[in-house]
Amino acid sequence: MTMIAALRRQMTLTRAWLGMVMLLCLAVLLWDIGRSYVEHRRQTVERLTALAKVVEARTEQTFQTLDMLLRETANELPFDRPPGDSGFLRLLKGRSFIFTDALTISVVSPDGTIIHASNVSLVGRNVGERDYLHHFRAHPDDTSMFISKPAVSIANNPVIFTARAIRHDDGRLRAVVLTGINPELLGSLLQSALPSEDSGAIAILRRDGTVLARRPELANTTPGASLAGAPMFQAHITSGNALSVLQGGGGPDQFERLLIIRDTNLHNLVVVVTISAQHLFEPVLKTLVADLIFLIIVGAVVMVLGRFLGGRERQRLQTQRELALARDYYMRVLDHLPVHIWRCDDLGRIDYTNGTLQAYCGATAGDLRPLVHPDDLASWQDANASRLHRRESSEQEFRLRRYDGQYRWMHEVAQPFHHQDGSFAGHLAACLDVTETREAQEKLTQSNAELEQFAYVASHDLREPLRMVSSYMGLIERRLGCKVESDIQEFLAFAKDGATRMDRLILDLLQYSRIGRMSTARRPLDLADCLSVALSNLGVMIDESRARLCIGALPTLNASDDDMVRLFQNLIANAIKYAQPGIAPEIRIDCQREAGSWRLSVQDNGIGIDRTYFDRVFRIFQRLHGRDDHGGGSGIGLSICKKIVESHGGRIWVDSAGTNQGCTFTFILPALNG
């Protein structure tokens, strides 16, 4: 019995040890399954993320090309020519041949009428209520390119419109310049980047969930369909992250999927790369089979495990090769982008320049310092050192030597980038050649200066002969005395009045030409002091009209004191002159802070201005009333106000509810500290 008990105990211990070994093997099995799943999922996420970046780069390059086309067309848009102008038509057709991906280039009025088009047969037709028209009407401050929902053009072709708004000075929509691409073009970009899994899919969406393109295409994911209600898309939008890794169901095909959702840097688009979640479990099943064989036949485990590990290593190497190919493609995209790109490490050493910059400089630009113009080198190095020290973005302009030895002006934008762990890695910079733009600006500045000098000299020299004419007319009047006929006296009076008015116009023109050129130096200035001086100058006028003023708190700005006094004086005098008969003027001066600026307004209860004359009142020597009505004047006061505000980097406009409803002159000036 003792031996039997001992044997039983031994068998029990053996079973216990075997059970423990089996439990240990089961624990190893579960650990290996979990690790395999996590590793495969991580590698899959990296691969799909790389594909998303590739799709983003291709898509942004396409839309950047269209945006360049829209900008150039908008800059050359002739508003002084009739619709369908032949000269502008030739320009549009030429652009169509250059930008082969773009469809018809059109210019549409705010009511939807095509006023210019590269396809002349479309001129005069109405496009209807397109979503880009609704967008630009609802967003008067939008200066970016708008990408529409997929639609059908009036030529009955599928199209995704890209549009830019052209506005009046007061922000009203003046026209929309647009072009478009066939949705199949985006589809072809996606097709070449599909994941290797047979369930793989890629889509490009707008931020509102509208599908621009998807491969493969399903019945409910055709261009124009909306995925805004899809749970994964809603989760990404709600998170506010630029990149989301999500897993779940509720998509177009109702299968559980792994999704990489990435916001593009430009144009407010979303790239979605996805595979079925079932593919994540395939290596787990292989591991499970191998480990079950290990539990059943110990001798076969080594061979099976070896094959499994070998297969997994081959799979890992294959995945690494795929990632390397994806990275190589991404780098080739960077090398061929039409932008000069360079990267520096956290010590400021340049460790990468793209092919475009190397071709531009004629060599591998490992160090840009020898290529920077000597006069710009110190400021360029200081800007780079400051940016590196603060680890922040910056912009600057400098001259860079091209391959032919010519120095060209470059506009550089640099942004910091970080390692995957969040630590600072350096800066990535992009440059564009802006030489032609700077030259055009310099010519325009020189031309404006010459025009102002001409106006000053011409008006100054014209006063002398006018004084002579006026003096001699007075001598003739005194010589003739009272014996002259009444019509001759009337003629002399007309001549003297004309000379006097001409002298007044010349004085006003001299005053207009001095603004900005002969104004006092700008300094931090309390506008309340300037308003006080203006009110003192208008004291008699205010007392005689019994005007009442309500003045709010005014800020301190960097401005010219005599310009600010003249600005307030002209606006307040204008409000008093155009008061309603028999009603004392009431003038209210308010100020509000905005982002980087101050909004000031001068409101009155006068006779008001018809909406059709809002632009005309700011033109030089323009009057809406008779020469002697409302105290007379040359009509230059508001022109002077407009020039003062614009010379200080602001803008001015007028608003009025109608006749006898008063009007409000509003102007915006930059804040002292931005």
Side-chain angles (χ1 to χ4, degrees):
M1 292 292 296
T2 304
M3 293 181 59
I4 295 175
L7 182 59
R8 288 178 177 175
R9 285 195 299 270
Q10 185 65 35
M11 292 179 62
T12 302
L13 290 174
T14 302
R15 292 191 186 99
W17 279 107
L18 288 176
M20 292 178 62
V21 170
M22 293 298 293
L23 289 176
L24 180 61
C25 291
L26 182 60
V28 171
L29 168 67
L30 295 176
W31 173 83
D32 196 41
I33 291 173
R35 183 188 58 80
S36 178
Y37 174 80
V38 171
E39 178 66 14
H40 181 67
R41 190 179 190 278
R42 182 188 64 81
Q43 294 175 356
T44 303
V45 168
E46 290 181 355
R47 176 165 54 88
L48 297 185
T49 302
L51 290 176
K53 291 180 179 179
V54 170
V55 173
E56 177 188 4
R58 294 179 181 179
T59 305
E60 288 189 346
Q61 183 177 8
T62 299
F63 283 112
Q64 281 291 88
T65 302
L66 296 178
D67 194 18
M68 185 187 306
L69 170 61
L70 295 178
R71 288 175 180 271
E72 293 178 355
T73 303
N75 290 337
E76 299 177 13
L77 185 61
F79 285 104
D80 56 344
R81 300 182 189 174
D85 178 70
S86 58
F88 192 62
L89 172 63
R90 288 193 297 272
L91 176 67
L92 294 181
K93 287 185 175 180
R95 292 280 164 74
S96 297
F97 286 116
I98 296 175
F99 298 88
T100 55
D101 291 339
L103 300 178
T104 303
I105 309 171
S106 304
V107 179
V108 178
S109 66
D111 63 356
T113 302
I114 299 177
I115 55 178
H116 297 287
S118 58
N119 183 354
V120 69
S121 63
L122 300 180
V123 175
R125 299 180 65 179
N126 193 284
V127 300
E129 289 298 315
R130 294 292 190 184
D131 57 350
Y132 52 80
L133 290 174
H134 288 296
H135 176 81
F136 288 132
R137 291 169 187 156
H139 302 83
D141 295 329
D142 188 4
T143 60
S144 62
M145 182 180 73
F146 176 77
I147 300 175
S148 76
K149 298 180 179 179
V152 178
S153 68
I154 59 176
N156 203 28
N157 295 319
V159 64
I160 297 175
F161 291 109
T162 58
R164 272 190 168 274
I166 303 174
R167 300 187 180 276
H168 293 279
D169 292 341
D170 60 357
R172 291 181 297 110
L173 186 62
R174 191 173 188 177
V176 176
V177 57
L178 68 139
T179 185
I181 58 172
N182 193 312
E184 285 298 318
L185 176 62
L186 292 181
S188 64
L189 295 179
L190 303 183
Q191 187 65 41
S192 60
L194 275 175
S196 57
E197 291 84 357
D198 55 5
S199 65
I202 300 182
I204 299 176
L205 294 79
R206 299 198 319 176
R207 284 282 293 180
D208 62 359
T210 302
V211 177
L212 299 182
R214 186 187 191 272
R215 287 295 184 275
E217 191 172 280
L218 301 177
N220 54 353
T221 62
T222 56
S226 176
L227 297 182
M232 296 298 101
F233 184 81
Q234 291 180 346
H236 170 72
I237 296 299
T238 304
S239 70
N241 298 326
L243 177 67
S244 298
V245 180
L246 304 170
Q247 186 171 340
D253 54 7
Q254 300 301 317
F255 295 142
E256 183 174 355
R257 285 183 165 273
L258 172 67
L259 297 95
I260 305 298
I261 306 178
R262 177 181 176 87
D263 293 342
T264 64
N265 292 326
L266 302 173
H267 308 306
N268 216 18
L269 301 178
V270 179
V271 177
V272 181
V273 183
T274 175
I275 62 170
S276 172
Q278 179 182 355
H279 290 287
L280 298 176
F281 293 97
E282 291 179 353
V284 177
L285 295 176
K286 296 178 182 178
T287 305
L288 178 61
V289 171
D291 289 343
L292 287 175
I293 295 175
F294 169 79
L295 293 174
I296 298 172
I297 306 175
V298 175
V301 163
V302 175
M303 180 182 64
V304 173
L305 186 60
R307 291 182 179 179
F308 169 74
L309 292 177
R312 189 170 61 182
E313 181 65 17
R314 286 192 298 273
Q315 184 180 6
R316 186 182 65 83
L317 293 176
Q318 178 64 25
T319 302
Q320 289 181 346
R321 283 194 292 268
E322 291 176 356
L323 288 174
L325 289 175
R327 294 192 190 99
D328 179 67
Y329 182 85
Y330 177 66
M331 296 305 295
R332 285 190 287 113
V333 169
L334 285 180
D335 279 338
H336 290 84
L337 282 176
V339 179
H340 311 302
I341 298 175
W342 59 268
R343 182 185 63 202
C344 68
D345 59 18
D346 57 349
L347 298 178
R349 297 172 298 194
I350 295 177
D351 56 10
Y352 169 77
T353 55
N354 74 335
T356 305
L357 179 57
Q358 295 177 18
Y360 188 86
C361 297
T364 301
D367 187 359
L368 294 181
R369 286 178 295 180
L371 303 176
V372 178
H373 195 282
D375 295 342
D376 302 333
L377 183 58
S379 61
W380 182 77
Q381 289 178 321
D382 291 342
N384 289 346
S386 174
R387 177 179 63 208
L388 187 65
H389 175 70
R390 298 181 180 182
R391 298 183 177 182
E392 61 184 16
S393 59
S394 67
E395 292 188 36
Q396 61 174 325
E397 290 190 358
F398 59 92
R399 285 167 287 182
L400 188 69
R401 190 175 68 227
R402 199 167 58 179
Y403 63 89
D404 57 1
Q406 181 182 4
Y407 283 98
R408 306 280 292 179
W409 280 100
M410 309 296 292
H411 182 85
E412 177 190 270
V413 179
Q415 294 284 350
F417 71 98
H418 302 82
H419 294 295
Q420 291 183 350
D421 60 0
S423 61
F424 177 69
H427 281 87
L428 186 66
C431 305
L432 285 176
D433 190 328
V434 295
T435 304
E436 287 76 10
T437 303
R438 287 182 63 99
E439 291 175 350
Q441 291 175 345
E442 291 173 358
K443 290 179 181 178
L444 181 60
T445 301
Q446 181 180 0
S447 176
N448 289 339
E450 291 174 352
L451 285 174
E452 290 181 355
Q453 182 66 19
F454 171 76
Y456 174 77
V457 173
S459 55
H460 184 273
D461 293 344
L462 282 174
R463 294 197 67 201
E464 182 60 30
L466 272 177
R467 283 194 294 267
M468 183 177 295
V469 170
S470 182
S471 298
Y472 276 101
M473 292 302 297
L475 290 175
I476 292 173
E477 188 176 26
R478 287 195 297 272
R479 179 68 60 86
L480 294 176
C482 299
K483 299 178 181 180
V484 68
E485 298 178 1
S486 60
D487 56 348
I488 299 299
Q489 291 181 351
E490 185 180 3
F491 296 158
L492 291 173
F494 285 155
K496 289 178 63 179
D497 180 63
T500 301
R501 287 193 297 107
M502 177 65 79
D503 186 62
R504 180 60 185 171
L505 289 174
I506 293 173
L507 282 175
D508 289 341
L509 185 60
L510 274 171
Q511 184 183 18
Y512 185 80
S513 66
R514 290 190 179 104
I515 296 173
R517 186 169 54 87
M518 300 182 65
S519 302
T520 58
R522 298 180 185 179
R523 60 183 177 85
L525 189 68
D526 189 350
L527 291 188
D529 296 338
C530 298
L531 179 59
S532 178
V533 175
L535 294 177
S536 177
N537 296 340
L538 296 171
V540 175
M541 189 177 187
I542 293 173
D543 293 340
E544 291 178 350
S545 64
R546 301 191 305 277
R548 296 191 297 271
L549 287 90
C550 180
I551 302 172
L554 297 179
T556 298
L557 300 178
N558 188 41
S560 168
D561 52 0
D562 57 353
D563 281 350
M564 291 298 104
V565 170
R566 188 178 294 112
L567 174 63
F568 281 120
Q569 186 170 321
N570 284 353
L571 291 176
I572 296 172
N574 201 64
I576 296 174
K577 284 174 58 178
Y578 294 99
Q580 298 184 51
I583 300 178
E586 294 183 1
I587 304 170
R588 182 180 183 88
I589 302 175
D590 289 322
C591 179
Q592 292 181 347
R593 179 63 194 256
E594 295 185 346
S597 62
W598 289 96
R599 177 191 290 260
L600 296 99
S601 62
V602 179
Q603 182 180 7
D604 61 56
N605 63 338
I607 62 175
I609 302 174
D610 189 89
R611 182 174 297 274
T612 57
Y613 300 121
F614 282 179
D615 292 334
R616 181 179 170 185
V617 295
F618 291 106
R619 299 176 188 169
I620 191 168
F621 299 136
Q622 293 288 317
R623 286 181 54 84
L624 304 183
H625 306 278
R627 187 179 68 193
D628 298 324
D629 295 344
H630 300 283
S634 62
I636 201 174
L638 292 179
S639 302
I640 290 175
C641 293
K642 184 174 186 291
K643 188 173 183 182
I644 290 173
V645 172
E646 291 181 348
S647 69
H648 282 75
R651 62 187 184 95
I652 185 171
W653 67 92
V654 64
D655 192 16
S656 175
T659 305
N660 294 330
Q661 298 296 316
C663 61
T664 303
F665 286 89
T666 306
F667 55 97
I668 293 178
L669 294 174
L672 186 62
N673 297 319

